[in-house]
Amino acid sequence: MAAYIRDFQAGTSTHFLRNVALVTALFALASAAHAEVVTLLCQVEAQPGSTFTLKVDYDRKTVADEHYNSTPGTAVPATITESEVTWDHINEHVEVFEGNWGRFQFAGSLNRLSGQGRVTYWRMDTSQPSWSLSGPCRRATQKF
């Protein structure tokens, strides 16, 4: 009976250690699969030397732009596929001009195969037309 108990304890310890090793390996894989927020610097084709910046968060499925003074824009929901990232978001209550509040649209796409990016901004409650920027985005075609 003592030999049986000793074998049972040894088997239990081995089983326990295998489970701990398996759980540790799974956590390591999950950590490795955790995507970073990717910052893409895009060249404006129509204005050589000008750029725009997009931040894509693949875990949260959001896109944000970066303002000219390097402050981050608001992250908006995005649809992310193997070949494309797209977004079309309307902020309902923003200051479209100093002291004037209204709706503001931030839309765009990022082709993950060609690296071509496009953003469109529109102050919807003004007579000002929308404006768009497009061009190749560095890092967009890398595997991330």
Side-chain angles (χ1 to χ4, degrees), residues 43-122:
Q43 304 297 318
V44 179
E45 290 173 325
Q47 301 168 352
S50 296
T51 62
F52 61 98
T53 303
L54 298 173
K55 293 184 180 286
V56 182
D57 186 327
Y58 286 88
D59 286 342
R60 292 189 172 96
K61 294 184 173 32
T62 62
V63 172
D65 59 349
E66 188 173 278
H67 301 296
Y68 66 91
N69 60 1
S70 298
T71 59
T74 302
V76 301
T79 301
I80 299 175
T81 66
E82 288 294 319
S83 61
E84 189 174 48
V85 178
T86 58
W87 63 98
D88 188 352
H89 186 76
I90 297 173
N91 294 301
E92 290 294 337
H93 187 71
V94 294
E95 192 170 20
V96 291
F97 286 114
E98 189 174 313
N100 294 320
W101 296 83
R103 298 178 333 152
F104 186 85
Q105 181 183 31
F106 172 50
S109 65
L110 173 64
N111 185 313
R112 296 179 70 194
L113 303 176
S114 70
Q116 188 72 11
R118 178 188 59 78
V119 295
T120 300
Y121 301 95
W122 185 28

